[in-house]
Amino acid sequence: MEVPAGLTGRKEPAAAALPSMSQPIPVQITVVHAQDLKTLKSNVVVTLVRVEYNGAVLGDSSKTDVLPDGTAEYDFSTSFECSPDGPNTLDVLVQKPLLLTVLEVRPKEKKKPEKITPLGQAVVDLLPLLQGVRSLKVFAPLYAVPASPSVSLHPEATAGLEVTVSTKELLLSATQFSSGNLLSITLEAAYSVPEAFTPDTQQNYMACLQIPAAGEKELPLLFKNGILKADGEKEPLPRPKNWPFGPILAPAALNIPDSFIVGGPYEDEDGELTRSEDMEFRIQAESTKRIVWDTETRCFLDAAAVAAASCICFVPSLQTRIAKCCYWPVELCTMSVASGGKGKASKLDKTKIQYSIFRDRRSQLSLSKEGLGTSPASKTASSKVQKEEKDSSATQYSEAGTFLVMEIKLDRPLVPKRLREELVRRVKELIPPRPALPPQTEGAKKVVEDYHKRVTSVAVAILREYHELFGKQLPDQGVMDHETMEEQKRQLNYELNTSGKYFAFKEQLKYSVVKIVREKYLKTTAFETKEELQAFLSELYVYLVDHMHIALNKLLSGEDTSPAPPPNTTRKQLLLFAREAEANKDLKLASRFYTQRIARDQCDIQSWLDYGAFCLVYEDATKAQECFQQALCLDPQHIQSLLLCGIVAVKLQQYEEAEIFFEDACCLEPSSIIAWTLSGLFYEMQNSYVQAERNFREAKKLLRAQLEEERRILEAAEGDRKKPSSPSTDPEKIPDGSADKPPEVMEGVTSKAEATAVQEASEAPAPQPPPCTIFMKTVEFLMKVNAVRFVHKALAHELLSLQGGPTCAYYLALAWTYMLREDFPRCEECLRKAVGIDPLNPNVWAQKGHLCYLQKDFDNAKECYERVISFVEDAKDMHFVYLRLGSIYLEEKEYGQAKHIYLLACDNSASCLTWLGVGIACYRLEEMLEAEDALSEANALNNTNAEVWGYLALICLQGGRQLEAEKCYKYTVKLGLQNDALLREIRAAQHRFGFGDPSL
């Protein structure tokens, strides 16, 4: 009667564009012969074939005898013209097949004339004529006609017609077709129709939608002969699609070959009613009263028409239309077979259309002949009455929840997808060339060590030659006089030169010297002047002689010449130190640790990404971009580097570059949920909502597949074993109520509301884990890289997609963004809501403790941290929980507790600060040996911490070691100790123990 309440589909619609033809082109049809006619009817004798196209009969063949083997030779030819102005346009050729009917001719009986009855029908698809084909030869199966003698014959008939179709010239070349596009629209059914719809053989139903054309023009697409079906079983899947023309004698011939409606999960659809809460309604509607079409219609999009002035250009109009409104109107009307019916339509607000297709284009659609019209009475009706009819008609669809299921498909995307090769090339163009990384210090160090070994080897060989010539000089023989020494030197030089050994020794040193020039001095090109060469040789000579002396001194003194030990800290520890400095707001120190980590291994991608994430929020976004691009240079196929380059490009408002990075990431790793979700968020920022929804849909599909695979693996692992009952519901596991809550869970609550929430949570069953969504998976990644803007976008989607309201994880992530921006009131509100949802979550209390700590509310921070460590499950950032709780204990002079907490931190992840905490606590407990050991550990991890040197100075003063105390104090001052109280304590200790000038 009028537009449905909802539209459910699978792809965005597109528009039809008709190629131009200057002159009509004849389409020649030849029916060669039929075979296996005996399978349709065993006693068939004479037949003829009738050819029809687009509702018109093209001709009948002559009567032909059926041979004993069931064949009949027709050799019948006919034709029709394909013309832009005639009834058979290219658009008709795309969507309508050729209809062939085999008729049985019965001979005359007495005075009765001969009787002609339909035997079978076949269809031939003419689409190949638009695909660059001039001639096609097909074998079209014949389908039996019901209500004829054939119905009682063999059900597996194999009869068919051999048909050839040809044109004198190509309708469209292969290039024209490949540059265009084929649009297919399948209208499956209308479900949950109003109660007023009743099964009536005198009515069927028609739907219409318009395809955007040039300018303001639009082309209508009709779906006729919809059948209203009563309650019963839902339509089977898969089921064939039908050709878009009226009823024919053999219903099976309406089925399009190899084209089926296969259905699928509701979540994969693009329209409305795709959420999990709509599933029950959809299932029920599919088995109740519905209108079924199952019809497919096709249109051709001519991309070549864009360049032709005389042709209609459709694609830009389509893109403009989708940009303005992605909803298209679909109207529904009843058609009275016996008498004139009525079609009603209302104002279509959602589609921004203010008119009815059926009413305003009745003459163009030729609906008067179809029984759709307006009676004379309705023509004279007042506008007020018409408006009331429209409003009433629209209301019944809305109340019934009527929705359509359609499939809209393009052979190729409307906007062609960029190839992977092009994306790789564009990414390389976006990353500017950078100078080569400086050689690693380990390389220069290694060649110098190699030079030392060569010098040592040559020295040992020369000493051996000396001993062979003059013997070993014994200690009791006294000191050799100068003249004897010079004579032995002359003889040794003579022997080495005449034997060639001098040249051999020189060659041994040659390659070591060359390596020093390349690795140490980075000299690989020729000198421009002699003066420059001479200056370099002088410098090199001094350097080589100095290191020769170093090597010889080690040899003669018997020192160990083994290489220096590796650094005490690893890249993992440096990352921990950097994050500690970050948490303490010492951004300069944090930056230094990040850069040290990069210097340790400049080819480590993660080091560059971590420093870039730090720069993204605390320093310059341009510096972050340099870090991410450097990581991408090291590995152009690193998915995280691509995504981070896209994120920072958005922050720098480089949107075209960002699109390249996100698209390349999705193309590189099409199974990445995070890549598709991030790309969708980006497109949404650019107001490309269609593309955004497409990417979100792909991410959701991947997540469902992942969860299904995890469920399948879990079920396979469990087998048929009986699942153990939950501890919270098994009475044998909990003899009393004491096990329901962790120790000290009710102690130290910060408010009455939180105490009530904890009590209720301990009495209620354990909360179920929140459903995993693409947005929360992406939020986890974004929080690690400090992409605050994208986190807010993802959380906004998470809030809309949740069924039972925001989750604890949602509020935790939102609180993190506010804490990063130091918006403490909003952060506190989020954490309050998170506690109400899951009061036994250690991460909630850890984050609440951090908030109180930053607000210098140390009493509440201490209570929150103590609660965190009382839980069986650790929070994600236990390291900082230990550090801050330990510092609070030190401040409150609870040194025993502080020592315990800091030792837990050392066991969890040792750092300079954790061992410093242990050292301070031990010092205050007067455990000097343990304090010194702990501070030595801290110093080994980071010897630039002024506070460590300060406490070492105190310990040395306590032990009477003045020289060591002075050395430690000098390092304290040099490193700029900021702790004034500690500085005063050191000077007081110096004065108390009487060690020199207190000011040193």
Side-chain angles (χ1 to χ4, degrees), residues 45 79 182 374 390 461 599 655 661 686 772 779 812 899:
V45 177
S79 66
L182 186 66
T374 305
K390 293 177 183 180
Y655 301 118
F661 289 122
Q686 301 304 301
C772 182
V779 163
L812 274 176
K899 177 183 176 181

Side-chain angles (χ1 to χ4, degrees), residues 41-275:
K41 185 177 181 182
S42 58
N43 60 349
V44 63
V45 177
V46 180
T47 62
L48 62 84
V49 64
R50 177 171 294 163
V51 181
E52 300 175 65
Y53 190 70
N54 195 18
V57 177
L58 303 181
D60 292 349
S61 71
S62 59
K63 301 171 187 176
T64 304
D65 293 335
V66 178
L67 300 178
D69 62 357
T71 62
E73 299 293 333
Y74 298 113
D75 291 328
F76 169 68
S77 295
T78 185
S79 66
F80 68 88
E81 286 188 343
C82 183
S83 170
D85 300 324
N88 302 320
T89 63
L90 287 181
D91 184 51
V92 173
L93 233 68
V94 171
Q95 59 182 307
K96 292 190 177 182
L98 191 68
L99 179 61
L100 307 167
T101 306
V102 174
L103 303 171
E104 180 187 8
V105 182
R106 295 183 182 179
K108 296 179 180 180
E109 296 180 0
K110 298 180 180 180
K111 295 182 180 181
K112 295 180 180 180
E114 63 182 3
K115 185 177 181 180
I116 299 178
T117 58
L119 187 66
Q121 286 186 314
V123 293
V124 176
D125 191 358
L126 301 182
L127 180 63
L129 294 179
L130 273 71
Q131 296 174 312
V133 175
R134 282 184 50 193
S135 177
L136 63 144
K137 183 178 181 180
V138 296
F139 180 80
L142 275 168
Y143 298 95
V145 176
S148 71
S150 61
V151 296
S152 60
L153 299 180
H154 200 285
E156 297 181 358
T158 58
L161 293 173
E162 184 177 315
V163 184
T164 60
V165 184
S166 62
T167 59
K168 292 183 179 180
E169 58 184 279
L170 293 174
L171 300 181
L172 282 178
S173 68
T175 303
Q176 286 177 310
F177 187 85
S178 62
S179 63
N181 213 327
L182 186 66
L183 167 70
S184 301
I185 301 178
T186 302
L187 177 57
E188 298 181 14
Y191 294 104
S192 190
V193 296
E195 290 294 332
F197 282 37
T198 57
D200 187 347
T201 56
Q202 300 300 314
Q203 284 188 338
N204 60 25
Y205 300 85
M206 181 167 63
C208 182
L209 72 158
Q210 297 196 105
I211 303 298
E216 300 299 325
K217 296 181 180 179
E218 302 206 356
L219 299 177
L221 289 182
L222 290 178
F223 294 88
K224 304 178 182 179
N225 305 312
I227 301 172
L228 181 64
K229 293 189 176 182
D231 297 358
E233 294 184 2
K234 58 185 287 188
E235 302 302 313
L237 291 173
R239 61 184 187 272
K241 297 179 181 179
N242 298 326
W243 290 106
F245 57 87
I248 60 177
L249 298 176
L254 273 176
N255 298 341
I256 302 176
D258 302 321
S259 186
F260 297 93
I261 296 171
V262 296
Y266 300 141
E267 297 87 348
D268 291 344
E269 297 174 348
D270 297 352
E272 302 170 6
L273 303 178
T274 59
R275 300 170 300 177

Side-chain angles (χ1 to χ4, degrees), residues 2-4 328-331 345-357:
E2 56 185 65
V3 73
W328 282 14
V330 180
E331 292 191 55
S346 64
K347 185 174 68 174
L348 315 175
D349 295 330
K350 192 169 188 178
T351 60
K352 302 181 180 179
I353 300 298
Q354 306 299 317
Y355 56 87
S356 165
I357 304 173

